[in-house]
Amino acid sequence: GEDVEQSLFLSVREGDSSVINCTYTDSSSTYLYWYKQEPGAGLQLLTYIFSNMDMKQDQRLTVLLNKKDKHLSLRIADTQTGDSAIYFCAEILKDDKIIFGKGTRLHILP
Amino acid sequence: GAVVSQHPSWVICKSGTSVKIECRSLDFQATTMFWYRQFPKQSLMLMATSNEGSKATYEQGVEKDKFLINHASLTLSTLTVTSAHPEDSSFYICSALFGLGGPTEETQYFGPGTRLLVL
């Protein structure tokens, strides 16, 4: 069935790069998304990648997609304390169904 | 794990009618729930934050008189699309915040979504 997996926790030192990984099972994905959840707040769209792309860069964010391995990653360069949040990976299938991962909690170390 | 349900999963209605969508946290209490809308081929957009016992907080551009939210209990939030029009046709997803360690420990659990088609 359809599933999106993420590791639950990641700790990174301030100033280092954070890499959050996600794997998905359904190869019919059209778009893949990264959302950010700050404490007590709803999801906010961070970035997305179309399924026929390999990479997308947006300021400090780089998304890499390996479609063969069904692996998606989000790299945050120069991680700041404001990046501390939960990051959700999501895929949208051809029928518009959206599948979420359980979220990766990013903790910033001083 | 925490489970969130939505009802109905599918609804078709005539233009001008109102539709109520329920979001329930089945095995935990949620003081905060969120309502999202997904347009075809697009990502989720946050519509509003629903807080138990108080008024919902709406995102900019979302009409609060059009999308009525009621969070009357710790396990139920409802979204009513009033006087629905075809442009309201969309996929509506709710989520509930759950965590035992305070706001920094909470994560969201998503409902399966409700697909609304307004004719």
Side-chain angles (χ1 to χ4, degrees), chain B residues 31-49:
Chain B
T31 54
T32 302
M33 291 184 175
F34 300 100
W35 286 97
Y36 298 91
R37 182 175 179 178
Q38 183 199 356
F39 293 97
K41 308 302 178 193
Q42 296 186 32
S43 73
L44 286 190
M45 296 295 293
L46 178 65
M47 297 175 68
T49 303

Side-chain angles (χ1 to χ4, degrees), chain A residues 30-31 33 35 37 39-45 86 88 92-98 100-103 105, chain B residues 32 34 36 38-46 49 59 91 93 97 103-110 115:
Chain A
T30 54
Y31 286 90
Y33 292 90
Y35 291 90
Q37 179 204 327
L43 294 184
Q44 296 293 340
L45 178 66
I86 300 178
F88 287 87
I92 291 186
L93 309 182
K94 279 186 180 173
D95 62 356
D96 274 358
K97 185 176 177 182
I98 186 166
F100 284 95
K102 287 188 166 42
R105 191 179 299 278
Chain B
T32 302
F34 300 100
Y36 298 91
Q38 183 199 356
F39 293 97
K41 308 302 178 193
Q42 296 186 32
S43 73
L44 286 190
M45 296 295 293
L46 178 65
T49 303
E59 295 297 301
F91 193 55
I93 298 176
L97 271 185
T104 57
E105 301 300 317
E106 292 173 320
T107 188
Q108 292 189 45
Y109 291 90
F110 294 93
R115 196 170 293 280

Side-chain angles (χ1 to χ4, degrees), chain A residues 99-110:
Chain A
I99 312 288
F100 284 95
K102 287 188 166 42
T104 299
R105 191 179 299 278
L106 177 62
H107 178 61
I108 314 303
L109 302 168

Side-chain angles (χ1 to χ4, degrees), chain A:
Chain A
E2 307 124 353
D3 197 17
V4 175
E5 303 254 343
Q6 298 177 241
S7 53
L8 294 181
F9 297 98
L10 176 66
S11 289
V12 172
R13 293 209 176 276
E14 191 174 359
D16 288 351
S17 292
S18 306
V19 179
I20 303 170
N21 294 302
C22 170
T23 57
Y24 58 98
T25 55
D26 198 305
S27 57
S28 69
S29 301
T30 54
Y31 286 90
L32 295 121
Y33 292 90
W34 285 102
Y35 291 90
K36 181 180 182 182
Q37 179 204 327
E38 298 190 354
L43 294 184
Q44 296 293 340
L45 178 66
L46 266 186
T47 187
Y48 67 94
I49 189 167
F50 189 48
S51 58
N52 69 354
M53 296 169 65
D54 298 324
M55 186 183 92
K56 181 178 178 181
Q57 187 149 2
D58 183 2
Q59 298 181 337
R60 291 192 298 125
L61 304 178
T62 303
V63 180
L64 293 177
L65 175 61
N66 182 330
K67 201 169 180 184
K68 175 174 166 288
D69 294 338
K70 299 191 185 70
H71 182 264
L72 181 74
S73 68
L74 172 70
R75 179 177 178 269
I76 305 172
D78 187 25
T79 309
Q80 304 297 309
T81 53
D83 296 323
S84 181
I86 300 178
Y87 292 83
F88 287 87
C89 165
E91 61 170 339
I92 291 186
L93 309 182
K94 279 186 180 173
D95 62 356
D96 274 358
K97 185 176 177 182
I98 186 166
I99 312 288
F100 284 95
K102 287 188 166 42
T104 299
R105 191 179 299 278
L106 177 62
H107 178 61
I108 314 303
L109 302 168

